[in-house]
Amino acid sequence: DTEVTQTPKHLVMGMTNKKSLKCEQHMGHRAMYWYKQKAKKPPELMFVYSYEKLSINESVPSRFSPECPNSSLLNLHLHALQPEDSALYLCASSRYGLQGHGSPLHFGNGTRLTVT
Amino acid sequence: AQSVTQLDSQVPVFEEAPVELRCNYSSSVSVYLFWYVQYPNQGLQLLLKYLSGSTLVKGINGFEAEFNKSQTSFHLRKPSVHISDTAEYFCAVSAIYSPQGAQKLVFGQGTRLTINP
């Protein structure tokens, strides 16, 4: 069982829809991450929150909007997506904030997103 | 800048045979190295990590890896594989993200390990 929980597991949305992906961890971790993974590729970093503040945005298009309501929750709001945004979206957390080098990431099982 | 190269995109092995998945990294500074496994339709699970100390690192599921600084390698090994080891394996290095000096994981392209009966 993973200690990082992501909902929903699967999501199909049209290009005009607005939806949200949710991520939750109760390990007391202080950094949380969103990754995007296309088929047969490694995960690509999108956003990092450290101590509930957005610390890294890897030049992600504005149709993806992250939110960290508290230290245990991370959301990714989706609006006006394109078919090429279809992918597995992974959430992860690590014990220390971004300055905690070497702190391993704990991943959720991801949300499989299909944009039609 | 740090980078990771996984030398084999696919590795087929017979059950109970030994396996080695190769990983080389590039970095001008001290690094932290990781191996993650991804089973079908799941997220990534940490197999093992090297932060400092002994260069032979033992992980879960009988896997181990050896850090070799002179060869800039961190190869993953298992003496006897099982069907259940079929998965994608990612090597990763912890990179320093400028300008905040924060940690960022850089992944290799992955190695698909297939165990045949």
Side-chain angles (χ1 to χ4, degrees):
Chain A
D1 290 339
T2 180
E3 297 171 352
V4 176
T5 304
Q6 291 188 243
T7 56
K9 287 183 169 56
H10 301 274
L11 178 63
V12 179
M13 61 185 290
M15 289 189 285
T16 59
N17 291 159
K18 285 185 180 181
K19 296 287 185 182
S20 296
L21 309 185
K22 297 186 184 302
C23 175
E24 189 168 1
Q25 58 88 13
H26 294 290
M27 295 178 283
H29 288 181
R30 303 317 303 267
M32 296 187 76
Y33 309 73
W34 279 115
Y35 281 84
K36 173 182 177 179
Q37 186 179 26
K38 301 284 274 186
K40 301 186 188 304
K41 296 291 186 183
E44 298 174 14
L45 182 64
M46 300 175 72
F47 303 103
V48 184
Y49 276 83
S50 178
Y51 295 94
E52 300 161 48
K53 291 180 61 177
L54 182 62
S55 298
I56 296 177
N57 177 341
E58 291 283 75
S59 302
V60 178
S62 59
R63 58 185 183 269
F64 295 91
S65 175
E67 178 195 20
C68 189
N70 59 57
S71 60
S72 299
L73 295 174
L74 185 66
N75 298 321
L76 186 63
H77 303 297
L78 314 173
H79 173 56
L81 295 192
Q82 304 296 312
E84 58 265 29
D85 296 321
S86 298
L88 181 67
Y89 288 84
L90 294 165
C91 173
S93 67
S94 62
R95 177 173 296 184
Y96 304 111
L98 282 180
Q99 306 305 327
H101 301 296
S103 181
L105 270 61
H106 296 250
F107 285 85
N109 283 331
T111 294
R112 178 76 60 189
L113 174 67
T114 303
V115 181
T116 61
Chain B
Q2 289 90 342
S3 66
V4 177
T5 301
Q6 291 183 242
L7 298 162
D8 305 294
S9 60
Q10 297 185 63
V11 174
V13 181
F14 286 109
E15 195 173 16
E16 298 184 8
V19 69
E20 178 181 80
L21 306 184
R22 297 180 293 167
C23 172
N24 285 90
Y25 68 92
S26 171
S27 175
S28 58
V29 298
S30 297
V31 295
Y32 302 113
L33 294 158
F34 306 85
W35 274 99
Y36 284 87
V37 60
Q38 186 173 31
Y39 299 104
N41 300 312
Q42 292 190 23
L44 279 70
Q45 181 181 4
L46 179 69
L47 273 178
L48 47 80
K49 62 183 185 285
Y50 173 78
L51 303 182
S52 64
S54 173
T55 57
L56 183 62
V57 180
K58 292 191 184 297
I60 63 171
N61 301 340
F63 284 93
E64 63 181 32
E66 184 156 19
F67 172 64
N68 188 318
K69 188 175 181 179
S70 62
Q71 297 185 8
T72 61
S73 67
F74 190 54
H75 300 334
L76 181 71
R77 301 187 185 100
K78 186 170 182 178
S80 176
V81 295
H82 303 283
I83 293 285
S84 58
D85 292 322
T86 294
E88 190 82 20
Y89 291 78
F90 292 99
C91 182
V93 62
S94 177
I96 306 302
Y97 186 93
S98 298
Q100 297 109 318
Q103 172 186 235
K104 172 184 171 183
L105 271 189
V106 176
F107 287 94
Q109 290 299 306
T111 297
R112 175 71 182 172
L113 177 62
T114 303
I115 311 301
N116 298 306

